[in-house]
Amino acid sequence: MSDRIFKKLHILADAAKYDVSCSSSGSNRANKNKGIGNANQSGICHSYTEDGRCVSLLKILLTNHCIYDCAYCVSRKSNDIERAAFTVQEVVDLTINFYRRNYIEGLFLSSGIFKNADYTMERLVSIAKKLRLEHKFNGYIHLKTIPGSSDELVHEAGLYADRLSINLEIPTKEGLKLLAPDKSREEMILPMRYLKNEIIRTNEERKVIKSTPTFAPAGQSTQMIIGASGESDKHIILTAQHFYKKYHLKRVYYSGYVPISYDKRLPEIGTAVPMVRENRLYQSDWLMRFYGFKAEEIVNDTHPLLDLDIDPKLSWALRNQHAFPVDINKANYHTILRVPGIGVQSAKKIIMARRFGPLRIEHLQKLGVATNRAKYFITCLGFQQIYADKSGTNIKQYILAQSTSKYTKNNSQQLTLF
Amino acid sequence: MLKTLLYDGSWTGLMTIVFCSYEYKWQIATIQHNAQYIQSGLFVTTENIISDDDKAKRVLLGLEKKIGIQGIKELYYVFLSEIKHRELLILRSISYYFNSENKPNLNYANDDILQIKKIVRSVSREKHRLKAFVRFQKMKDGLYFANLEPDFNVLPLMVNFFKERFADQKWLIYDLKRHFGIYYDLDQVVEVQFSNTFNSDYIAFHLDDEELRYSYLWKHYFDSVNIKERKNTKLHVQSLPKRYWKYLNEKNLL
């Protein structure tokens, strides 16, 4: 092993870090052949970076050489940076040796595009193939599909990878055209559609023929860069919903844009990363995936932007006071789930616990409900709703006055004295 | 008459206690580990309980009917938590379970049960974390070795995970706090105990030639993926509590 590998790892990990997807969940690959590794349904984070993000997979680029010139990307052709490329064997060795020491759950492999899409994709696939077949590796593999590569290669990738993804990058067609003139939305969506169909087809086949090889068992995901091209939250959330519905995506990731270039089309260097907005988008995403909300309930023409000072569920509740108060001891699960301050876990606990007797507000507090928010929207034993006639604006003020957001420090105009 | 019960500190022992307390309708003041026994108060008699597989099994069978395997698992987690007075909490809850119908372990409004759920959460969290935070070091003889010091006694809960995952390499995980380890010899996992633990010099001397390079590569990788513009120390420490740093090479190497 040469010192060159340290350098390569530095360059190619550094270039891959802006891809936020790092999950290793959703696959249940057993270690059946006394090989190495398995994949865990819930996924495991092996470490956390100083910015607080999870490190689960060895996330690297195969190379940061690229023929494209996307303005938002560090690896863009016109950027004057040091370039490097791993060999197939180097990536395989790093993955296996990191995995054996329990540093990682597997590999997340992406790449700049060199020569052409197929040439690049072929190399990504050969790494996954080598890991699976030669090293009997059953850990997690996430491959980034290169837009424009052939169906045959994408198919082969699906046979060895747990998850495949194609990044949408810019949520709007126009934005993409402006910032990534070499790429087209259609070219990105084509393989997504192909993947969706293959995943459905192989799942059907597996129901009949057990020995059908798995195809991307953890599904496909995508990523959108937020705050680079002036898109609205409404646009982002509706786009996400569209992709969940039409392409059966497992996850949509939102990546607050970190300014990396002096390009006039982009926010200038030093502009703050839109972290709060990114957080609100993830909260909205959760509302759609686990709370039964439709995108149009969260954002619409009269409310196109997410509130930054309160979470989207509270925001929805304040705009829909006619749906409240909810009787904790009578309402069904889905109704309870819509109460601000009550999450999936506490909603389930409430349903179970109330079989043993009616619940009081102290009970709710003990089993994890954020009563400082919930109390404006519920009734329960011994608790009358006295805020029902107050306006949404009033309730919002009460709640804000009582809570301290973890982001207050970032937003505050006030200097702290001590 | 109030009683102080002494037992061997094992799960079977504790289940035997449950059996006896029902059989003889004891009023129990405290339950203590044989080795840690100090003294009982006035008006309290002491009883030494000898672990009995059959009695324990009968208790567990009865429990399974009331609260299912999942419910028993919760009690076992509380037992492994090593939290003070856990035995009495377990005993009290079991008696509540036997006297109620309808999966009583789901009554989140009951204080004991809430406390159990809370402990289960802490133990599960640590179990999950340690699956992630174990850092093996490869030794010259091919053994992958790791030290750790968990707050709770979670090593017994991790045996299957590591056995299934690292099926083709020998490994050993040692709990320095409780002085025992689990060792996989490519076939099965056994419990081991060292008379004196490996000190860092000994480990360093016996490391595989490539070990340090991979360790540094990992540290290097860890530093490279950090986005400085997004620094968030609070979140970092919350996810990666400082008490675990000692055994994480990415936080240790200079």
Side-chain angles (χ1 to χ4, degrees), chain A residues 34 37 46-47 59 100 105, chain B residues 135 165 169 186 221 250:
Chain A
K34 263 237 172 192
H46 284 267
S47 195
K59 182 161 52 181
R100 285 200 183 282
E105 281 295 289
Chain B
R135 294 281 178 267
R165 171 155 295 197
Q169 70 189 45
L186 296 181
Y221 173 74
E250 67 267 30

Side-chain angles (χ1 to χ4, degrees), chain A residues 336-356:
Chain A
I336 289 178
L337 209 48
R338 288 188 165 232
V339 175
I342 299 185
V344 171
Q345 293 300 326
S346 7
K348 283 184 182 158
K349 285 180 192 165
I350 287 170
I351 300 290
M352 281 190 272
R354 70 185 187 186
R355 292 186 297 144
F356 298 89

Side-chain angles (χ1 to χ4, degrees), chain B residues 13-227:
Chain B
L14 184 58
M15 291 302 114
T16 312
I17 288 180
V18 175
F19 186 92
C20 295
S21 71
Y22 263 81
E23 179 125 304
Y24 307 114
K25 301 198 166 49
W26 283 335
Q27 298 284 316
I28 298 166
T30 54
I31 300 176
Q32 290 181 24
H33 199 303
N34 276 331
Q36 290 150 7
Y37 174 57
I38 310 178
Q39 68 166 92
S40 53
L42 215 54
F43 309 112
V44 176
T45 56
T46 307
E47 197 87 39
N48 204 356
I49 305 290
I50 295 162
S51 295
D52 182 319
D53 277 333
D54 288 335
K55 287 177 181 166
K57 225 171 248 167
R58 280 175 64 183
V59 172
L60 290 172
L61 230 72
L63 267 178
E64 199 186 325
K65 281 181 198 139
K66 286 283 182 185
I67 55 173
I69 296 282
Q70 196 54 35
I72 294 176
K73 207 173 112 185
E74 286 174 1
L75 294 175
Y76 184 56
Y77 275 38
V78 173
F79 173 73
L80 291 179
S81 75
E82 299 177 342
I83 278 167
K84 224 175 160 187
H85 303 311
R86 65 189 177 283
E87 290 98 344
L88 281 177
L89 172 64
I90 292 173
L91 198 67
R92 231 174 22 239
S93 325
I94 289 182
S95 108
Y96 169 74
Y97 293 160
F98 279 140
N99 290 324
S100 355
E101 296 300 323
N102 215 342
K103 291 246 172 192
N105 59 318
L106 299 179
N107 185 2
Y108 287 87
N110 177 302
D111 280 340
D112 277 343
I113 292 172
L114 252 168
Q115 204 192 335
I116 287 180
K117 303 280 180 195
K118 235 171 111 181
I119 298 172
V120 169
R121 256 184 71 175
S122 309
V123 176
S124 307
R125 190 188 301 129
E126 183 162 60
K127 172 185 135 187
H128 187 75
R129 275 179 174 156
L130 287 184
K131 281 180 188 170
F133 296 164
V134 162
R135 294 281 178 267
F136 286 122
Q137 292 183 288
K138 191 179 182 188
M139 312 300 273
K140 278 202 172 74
D141 60 0
L143 176 76
Y144 285 82
F145 175 74
N147 272 332
L148 43 89
E149 288 174 282
D151 292 347
F152 309 117
N153 185 14
V154 289
L155 213 48
L157 301 174
M158 292 159 61
V159 171
N160 280 337
F161 173 80
F162 283 102
K163 189 181 168 192
E164 282 165 19
R165 171 155 295 197
F166 298 107
D168 72 339
Q169 70 189 45
K170 287 186 185 175
W171 51 260
L172 170 63
I173 307 172
Y174 205 80
D175 184 337
L176 289 171
K177 208 160 153 187
R178 292 166 191 83
H179 311 290
F180 79 101
I182 49 177
Y183 168 61
Y184 172 71
D185 62 2
L186 296 181
D187 183 34
Q188 54 180 343
V189 178
V190 287
E191 214 175 287
V192 292
Q193 224 158 0
F194 299 148
S195 43
N196 49 349
T197 39
F198 295 159
N199 63 29
S200 48
D201 287 344
Y202 181 91
I203 294 172
F205 186 74
H206 286 87
L207 282 182
D208 182 84
D209 294 340
E210 286 210 307
E211 179 53 38
L212 273 181
R213 305 209 69 165
Y214 277 112
S215 198
Y216 274 107
L217 272 169
W218 170 241
K219 161 81 176 162
H220 218 72
Y221 173 74
F222 179 77
D223 293 338
S224 301
V225 289
N226 181 40
I227 300 180

Side-chain angles (χ1 to χ4, degrees), chain A residues 282-326:
Chain A
Y282 276 111
Q283 287 173 326
S284 309
D285 196 74
W286 251 249
L287 289 183
M288 290 195 283
R289 291 191 298 136
F290 305 118
Y291 289 76
F293 278 82
K294 291 202 174 61
E296 294 79 4
E297 291 181 280
I298 306 166
V299 277
N300 46 48
D301 287 337
T302 50
H303 185 74
L305 296 177
L306 294 168
D307 294 313
L308 293 182
D309 52 354
I310 55 171
D311 68 79
K313 190 163 140 189
L314 177 58
S315 171
W316 171 82
L318 292 173
R319 282 178 280 127
N320 292 276
Q321 280 179 292
H322 56 86
F324 300 100
V326 164

